[in-house]
Amino acid sequence: MANDLMRFSVAMPEDLLVSFDRLVSRRGLAKNRSEVVRDLVRDALVEDECAMPGVEVAGSLTIVFDHHANDLQEKLHAIQHEYFGNIVSSMHVHLDEHMCLEVIVLRGYTELVQNIANLILGTKGVQNGKLVLTVAEHHHEHH
C-alpha cells in the first residue's frame, strides 16, 4: 500500500503551469510532471525536517571570498578549528588571482550547523555563500 501511486489533481493558473512545464522539459526526457512534483515534494519535506531543532543534518556550505581580504583565511581557519567536530572536510578552489571558492562539509544538529554557517557567512570578506542541508539519518520511510 505505502508505495502504490495515489492520484490527485492540482489546479494552478495557466502561466504557472506553462512555467512549470518548461522546468519539467529542462529536467530531461526521463522526467515528467508527476516525477518533478514528487521531487519538489521530497525537497520540501527534507527542508522542513532540517529546520526542526534536534535533527541531525549534513550539508555543504559554499562560499566565495577574496583571499587578499584582511586576515580572512586566519578567521575562517579559526572557526573551522573551533568546530572541528562538525566540519567533515573542505575543498578550496582558486577562481582567479583574487577570488577563492570553498566548499565546507558540515555535520551535526541543525541549530549548530546553521550557527557555524552563519558565523562563516558573516565573516568580513566573505562575499556570498549558500548552505544546502539534508537529513543525516532518516528515521522514517521516505519513498
Side-chain angles (χ1 to χ4, degrees):
M1 169 66 202
N3 283 329
D4 287 348
L5 290 177
M6 307 290 287
R7 291 196 174 276
F8 70 101
S9 59
V10 177
M12 65 175 73
E14 187 182 4
D15 57 344
L16 188 59
L17 183 58
V18 168
S19 296
F20 179 63
D21 281 340
R22 279 199 295 267
L23 172 70
V24 171
S25 66
R26 280 196 300 274
R27 296 226 173 161
L29 294 173
K31 293 280 180 178
N32 58 38
R33 276 183 188 166
S34 290
E35 287 176 320
V36 175
V37 168
R38 289 194 288 269
D39 291 346
L40 293 170
V41 169
R42 280 189 207 104
D43 288 348
L45 291 171
V46 167
E47 194 176 318
D48 183 59
E49 192 173 353
C50 287
M52 285 190 265
V55 173
E56 278 260 346
V57 297
S60 61
L61 174 64
T62 301
I63 57 172
V64 174
F65 61 91
D66 184 339
H67 77 100
H68 291 303
N70 225 358
D71 62 339
L72 175 59
Q73 297 222 255
E74 287 77 10
K75 287 179 188 155
L76 291 176
H77 288 159
I79 294 168
Q80 294 190 39
H81 280 286
E82 188 176 344
Y83 295 103
F84 71 90
N86 299 95
I87 293 179
V88 178
S89 180
S90 67
M91 177 176 66
H92 188 94
V93 180
H94 306 285
L95 299 176
D96 61 25
E97 306 89 79
H98 291 274
M99 302 310 293
C100 296
L101 178 143
E102 196 157 300
V103 179
I104 301 162
V105 178
L106 297 148
R107 188 168 183 156
Y109 288 114
T110 189
E111 313 89 299
L112 182 54
V113 168
Q114 301 264 11
N115 287 343
I116 297 167
N118 288 334
L119 269 177
I120 293 169
L121 291 169
T123 303
K124 193 171 157 58
V126 173
Q127 292 197 354
N128 65 303
K130 185 174 173 64
L131 176 65
V132 176
L133 294 178
T134 192
V135 180
E137 40 190 301
H138 277 284
H139 304 291
H140 63 280
E141 249 346 289
H142 68 278
H143 279 302

